[in-house]
Amino acid sequence: MENIAYLDNAASSPMRPEALEAMFAQANGHYANPSSIHALGQAARKTLEKSRGEVAALMGADASEVVFTSGATEANNLAIRGVIEPILDAGGPVHAVTTALEHASVLKTFEAMEKRGLSLTVVQPGSDGIVRADDVLDAVRDETAIVSVIAASNEIGTLQPIEAIRKGLDARFRGSDMKKPLFHVDAVQAVVSVEMDMRSVRADLFTISAHKIGGPKGVGALGVRKGVKLAPILTGGGHEGGARSGTENAAGIAGFGAAASALRSKRADEVARYVGLRKRLLAGLPPGAHPLIAEGVPVVPHIVSIECPGKENDWIVLLLSREGVMAAAGSACKSGSREASSVVRALGLDDARARSVIRASLGFASEEKDADAFGGALKKILP
Ligand code: PMP
């Protein structure tokens, strides 16, 4: 759309042309069920497996370690429920560690498991928006089955000490008879602008989503390290190696694969652009707005969190929209709830301050004029 500054890429990015093309080709030419044994079914299977390879390459996983899901929400549910539920079913005590910065698909899932008997520790971040690796490690107990940490916050963009947590877990359980907890990383936002993958962070479980990287909505993947056993949450025909039954979303997966390949080859250039656009956007803020996260704190460059003291974020976002600027008041998944973001509150902000925080998020299609439009529109709204 002409004259629209789309700065809500962390909620959903536009589709990459490569992804649109791949989806059309799959839906149009390979409509057969990829599980059918006839020639057309096998042709559909072949392209699906090619896409799996592309997604695996982005995830730093073997193709056999990729489980396609309906999105990151389902991937996070599968990671958590798949580990916790069998232990609860067997009547065993079970504990999990996570952080207050997680996406609702992680936190709410753990809370649902708590009602069934899970013991849960939620580690709080510092006022800089980062959890301390030691706080996460200190929370681990003998019966901890899973440690789940978001790599980059979708709301405030801060990067979490994933490598330090991995190293700490390894050190703590080295030479021990105790069962090492599985390490789950929600990397949905991190992979957009960080060269991070399942191999580099040695995650056991690793979540990504197609519609944050220029692919379609409704497709995601959970990387499951070889040897890790998960109880499926969807039972049926035993697709995806039994981890996730249901005919694969073949066109969606084709778009996911193409987006993953495009991201892999273009990410370094895109990140360099995000860094410049972020600077430009911040330089254009009016006096009534300032960055929420202090300079020097590690963040993904594509997510900019801005505090507008004394104002309500929903109101600002609606007025920005009238000016043609699409931004967000916290996480899109929770917008409309009128509640202050629990992630922003976790930084120590009171309710009113937390409700004054807006998010601008860049994507592969963002341009300088979008960054300029944001500051220009905000100037009209804020004194
Ligand atoms: N985790 C994070 C960090 C996210 O940003 C999102 C999307 N807002 C999700 C999980 C859920 O992704 P999906 O929309 O694919 O279910």
Side-chain angles (χ1 to χ4, degrees):
M1 270 187 277
E2 284 290 305
N3 299 325
I4 292 283
Y6 187 72
L7 292 167
D8 198 17
N9 290 273
S12 206
S13 68
M15 295 271 293
R16 293 183 191 264
E18 299 91 331
L20 279 170
E21 220 171 276
M23 284 183 81
F24 181 79
Q26 181 74 23
N28 193 42
H30 296 295
Y31 46 79
N33 191 317
S35 296
S36 294
I37 58 172
H38 52 65
L40 280 192
Q42 289 313 294
R45 168 62 56 191
K46 199 168 159 201
T47 52
L48 193 147
E49 293 309 322
K50 176 176 166 273
S51 305
R52 191 187 305 279
E54 292 168 334
V55 171
L58 177 68
M59 294 176 93
D62 192 81
S64 64
E65 295 175 312
V66 173
V67 176
F68 285 120
T69 63
S70 64
T73 295
E74 187 191 328
N76 285 340
N77 267 265
L78 177 59
I80 295 165
R81 291 177 191 270
V83 171
I84 303 289
E85 280 182 339
I87 307 175
L88 289 174
D89 289 346
V94 56
H95 174 250
V97 180
T98 192
T99 83
L101 300 175
E102 302 306 309
H103 185 263
S105 56
V106 167
L107 270 183
K108 297 275 180 208
T109 305
F110 275 127
E111 284 166 18
M113 297 291 92
E114 244 184 326
K115 291 201 184 90
R116 291 199 48 203
L118 168 75
S119 162
L120 179 68
T121 304
V122 180
V123 176
Q124 299 297 319
S127 58
D128 55 0
I130 297 185
V131 294
R132 300 291 168 262
D134 281 345
D135 290 348
V136 173
L137 296 166
D138 287 349
V140 172
R141 307 183 201 152
D142 291 351
E143 67 277 16
T144 306
I146 185 167
V147 174
S148 180
V149 181
I150 195 166
S153 163
N154 53 307
E155 293 198 41
I156 56 174
T158 50
L159 278 159
Q160 305 307 312
I162 299 298
E163 277 91 353
I165 295 169
R166 171 77 274 175
K167 278 196 188 125
L169 283 174
D170 289 345
R172 169 146 173 195
F173 287 86
R174 194 169 295 133
S176 150
D177 294 339
M178 302 305 304
K179 202 165 176 288
K180 200 191 314 188
L182 294 173
F183 187 34
H184 171 234
V185 176
D186 176 345
V188 167
Q189 298 294 342
V191 295
V192 174
S193 51
V194 181
E195 303 264 334
M196 165 190 291
D197 63 28
M198 191 164 158
R199 196 171 297 132
S200 70
V201 298
R202 288 180 296 120
D204 300 300
L205 298 159
F206 192 84
T207 297
I208 65 169
S209 178
H211 73 113
K212 315 289 181 169
I213 64 166
K217 291 160 196 59
V219 200
L222 180 67
V224 182
R225 185 179 54 74
K226 268 193 195 84
V228 171
K229 291 264 167 301
L230 289 182
I233 50 179
L234 288 183
T235 46
H239 305 74
E240 297 297 290
R244 201 276 187 182
S245 287
T247 302
E248 295 89 346
N249 174 1
I253 289 168
F256 192 6
S261 282
L263 171 63
R264 231 158 59 90
S265 62
K266 297 177 183 170
R267 186 163 47 194
D269 288 343
E270 289 176 357
V271 170
R273 249 175 355 94
Y274 296 155
V275 170
L277 290 175
R278 179 189 187 90
K279 266 198 199 127
R280 194 174 174 109
L281 187 148
L282 289 173
L285 291 182
H290 61 83
L292 174 71
I293 303 300
E295 218 179 310
V297 173
V299 287
V300 280
H302 71 284
I303 296 180
V304 195
S305 195
I306 296 152
E307 190 179 352
C308 308
K311 300 285 182 250
E312 289 264 343
N313 49 14
D314 284 358
W315 176 81
I316 299 171
V317 166
L318 288 176
L319 291 183
L320 282 173
S321 173
R322 280 200 208 165
E323 299 290 330
V325 174
M326 310 297 135
S331 167
C333 338
K334 284 189 260 164
S335 69
S337 73
R338 308 281 308 149
E339 257 175 50
S341 153
S342 58
V343 166
V344 177
R345 290 287 315 266
L347 273 54
L349 271 65
D350 64 23
D351 214 66
R353 275 188 71 192
R355 283 165 72 135
S356 79
V357 175
I358 60 172
R359 178 187 72 185
S361 49
L362 303 160
F364 70 91
S366 299
E367 298 175 23
E368 285 185 348
K369 68 175 172 51
D370 302 320
D372 295 345
F374 183 78
L378 207 54
K379 269 192 192 102
K380 288 193 197 167
I381 297 166
L382 300 176

